[in-house]
Amino acid sequence: MSHIFPRHTRQSPPVAVKGDGCYLIDASGKRYLDGSGGAAVSCLGHSDRTVIDAIKAQVDELAFAHTGFFTSAPAEALADLLIAHAPKGIDRVYLVSGGSEATEAAIKLARQYWVEKGEPQRSKLIARKQSYHGNTIGALSAGGNEWRRAQFGPLLLDVSHIDPCYEYRYRHDGESLEDYGLRAAQALEDEILRLGPETVMAFMAEPVVGATAGALTPAPGYFRRIREICDRYGVLLILDEVMCGMGRTGSLFACEQDGIAPDILCIAKGLGAGYQPIGAMLCSAEIYGAIEAGSGFFQHGHTYIGHPTAAAAGHAVLTALLERDLIARVQDQGRKLEECLVDRFGQHPHVGDLRGRGLFRGIELVADRPTKAPFDPAKGVAGKIKKAAFEAGLICYPMSGTIDGRNGDHILLAPPFIIEDDQLQELTDKLAVAVDAVI
């Protein structure tokens, strides 16, 4: 009998024993193509020797040193490399152990920034419906998925949520993509004015929405307008790239493709590629300078921030992404994956939308394609597809509640950047088997 507290008490997952490139292997020897990188984590696959060796070498020298007493060479090197490639204005790196820690730190830094600046009345955070920013109380408060929030509602912070930029559902007939993007962004200005600009500290959003909306991409011009609105009212822009960053969408930082830079940026998942738990909150020189000129102390911290072994892994992963030209490979393989999906599912009567960037792809499933009507949530379509795909030897990331936290189903795909052409076909074939078995 296992003493592990599992994600679901009525499920007994197989034991993973080995990784081999794009595959995971269980104790029975069955191979599973990792079509979602776990949760968009395993960008280098599961057996990258360079990263493994870097971890081993670091443990031989120094496994851990608490940041209350020391910094470390790998932490400094990783921070330098990140800033060398970061969006304009980003200057400091706060290393954490994962995505929820990164977004939690971002929210707290945004608040402390305004306190240090002498504007303590700025305490309100605006985020978007159908977003996901993590599972700690602060991060869950910022997230806008009602199913995930429901039972914890009494514990959550008061965060405002505006509609997402969701062209498939919200664009009007005859409305151009650009016009829709501007209309969707206007919701932020409206909410700032409703709350009172002097009370708003930050707006938080995913450049490409991951888990809760299935690789939902912004309309052209949306984020440029968001940046303008934030600047007009002095509101900090926090971008959550925990899932969509680190090359996943075809640029090292996802926001590069929208032509903007945030004030605070969160990354994780692909930064460690699954080899070590690591994430980071990056901030502008201006924000850091406010803390430095004020109290000098960011009132936050966890035991394992700046962990030397995790930082060594992150540095090895980031170096691999840059030196192996893997970002360009994401663009190439992403186009091929899109072609495979369009060929197999483009005319499927129960596929309403195919979307995404790079190797970050979403499939929105519908009961009726002409009307876009979703499946009855009681059917549990997403969960059944996940199970059927797993039985077929494919790991993918189906989720329900795509539209409003209850209605709608999608499949998220985020395979390793090293995926080969024949594996893209294998992914598509096995996914089709699962979809056909369930629908």
Side-chain angles (χ1 to χ4, degrees):
M1 183 184 71
S2 174
H3 290 283
I4 287 290
F5 197 135
R7 284 179 174 251
H8 198 302
T9 61
R10 294 184 181 89
Q11 296 175 359
S12 298
V15 177
V17 297
K18 186 175 177 59
D20 179 20
C22 293
Y23 297 87
L24 284 167
I25 304 166
D26 71 17
S28 73
K30 182 176 178 178
R31 295 170 65 87
Y32 303 83
L33 177 62
D34 193 354
S36 62
V41 173
S42 301
C43 56
L44 297 182
H46 297 279
S47 54
D48 191 283
R49 181 46 53 186
T50 301
V51 180
I52 293 168
D53 288 344
I55 293 168
K56 289 181 175 180
Q58 182 59 44
V59 172
D60 283 341
E61 294 295 324
L62 172 69
F64 170 70
H66 195 282
T67 54
F69 304 96
F70 298 98
T71 185
S72 69
E76 295 287 344
L78 176 56
D80 288 348
L81 190 56
L82 283 168
I83 294 304
H85 296 275
K88 183 179 180 181
I90 297 296
D91 188 63
R92 293 284 172 160
V93 177
Y94 189 89
L95 294 174
V96 293
S97 298
S100 294
E101 283 189 25
T103 55
E104 194 85 14
I107 294 168
K108 292 178 74 174
L109 180 62
R111 170 58 182 165
Q112 185 170 338
Y113 168 79
W114 289 115
V115 172
E116 302 266 2
K117 292 274 288 184
E119 297 187 49
Q121 74 278 7
R122 286 191 184 257
S123 62
K124 297 186 183 298
L125 176 66
I126 302 172
R128 300 190 297 182
K129 298 173 185 177
Q130 285 311 98
S131 58
Y132 179 68
H133 299 298
N135 261 333
T136 54
I137 292 298
L140 190 62
S141 299
N145 181 269
E146 287 304 316
W147 175 80
R148 292 173 186 259
R149 293 166 52 92
Q151 67 174 316
F152 303 108
L155 307 178
L156 300 182
L157 308 176
D158 182 17
V159 175
S160 296
H161 291 93
I162 62 174
D163 283 340
C165 189
Y166 194 171
E167 178 268 330
Y168 175 65
R169 292 284 172 184
Y170 295 157
R171 182 161 65 106
H172 297 158
D173 290 343
E175 185 177 31
S176 71
L177 276 171
E178 291 77 10
D179 286 345
Y180 167 65
L182 294 177
R183 180 167 65 83
Q186 184 59 39
L188 174 60
E189 184 170 33
D190 293 346
E191 185 64 8
I192 290 172
L193 293 173
R194 186 187 75 83
L195 294 170
E198 72 283 355
T199 71
V200 180
M201 66 178 188
F203 173 63
M204 175 180 277
E206 298 164 271
V208 181
V209 185
T212 51
L216 190 60
T217 56
Y222 172 81
F223 272 109
R224 286 193 294 275
R225 178 64 180 140
I226 289 291
R227 179 73 267 184
E228 291 171 358
I229 292 169
C230 288
D231 289 342
R232 174 180 298 175
Y233 297 103
V235 172
L236 298 179
L237 177 58
I238 303 171
L239 292 184
D240 175 357
E241 297 198 4
V242 167
M243 187 172 265
C244 63
M246 294 293 96
R248 174 57 61 187
T249 61
S251 54
L252 187 62
F253 294 94
C255 62
E256 294 175 36
Q257 297 177 58
D258 295 292
I260 63 163
D263 302 295
I264 302 175
L265 180 67
C266 301
I267 55 175
K269 296 188 185 293
L271 178 61
Y275 290 89
Q276 286 282 285
I278 188 169
M281 177 198 69
L282 289 69
C283 75
S284 68
E286 202 281 330
I287 291 176
Y288 180 81
I291 305 299
E292 184 180 38
S295 68
F297 172 62
F298 179 30
Q299 195 171 329
H300 185 59
H302 296 280
T303 300
Y304 289 117
I305 63 175
H307 193 282
T309 308
H315 188 272
V317 170
L318 184 55
T319 299
L321 296 181
L322 297 170
E323 293 186 354
R324 299 181 199 170
D325 205 19
L326 287 173
I327 309 302
R329 182 175 174 79
V330 168
Q331 297 168 8
D332 292 340
Q333 297 306 93
R335 282 190 290 269
K336 293 175 184 176
L337 176 56
E338 181 180 24
E339 291 169 1
C340 287
L341 294 174
V342 169
D343 181 62
R344 184 60 62 93
F345 297 107
Q347 299 303 314
H348 195 289
H350 296 294
V351 170
D353 193 29
L354 295 168
R355 54 183 178 247
R357 291 176 179 170
L359 285 173
F360 200 46
R361 298 286 164 177
I363 303 170
E364 184 162 342
L365 302 167
V366 291
D368 183 75
R369 182 167 172 152
T371 65
K372 304 182 183 179
F375 285 101
D376 181 346
K379 292 182 179 295
V381 168
K384 290 177 180 176
I385 288 176
K386 179 180 179 180
K387 182 179 179 180
F390 198 66
E391 290 174 353
L394 172 67
I395 300 167
C396 59
Y397 199 151
M399 285 291 296
S400 58
T402 311
I403 301 170
D404 56 12
R406 172 175 169 76
N407 295 288
D409 299 275
H410 69 262
I411 302 165
L412 183 64
L413 300 171
F417 301 171
I418 62 172
I419 194 166
E420 300 289 349
D421 292 1
D422 60 335
Q423 293 168 334
L424 290 172
Q425 192 61 56
E426 179 186 351
L427 186 161
T428 310
D429 290 344
K430 289 182 174 179
L431 184 59
V433 167
V435 170
D436 291 344
V438 173
I439 303 176

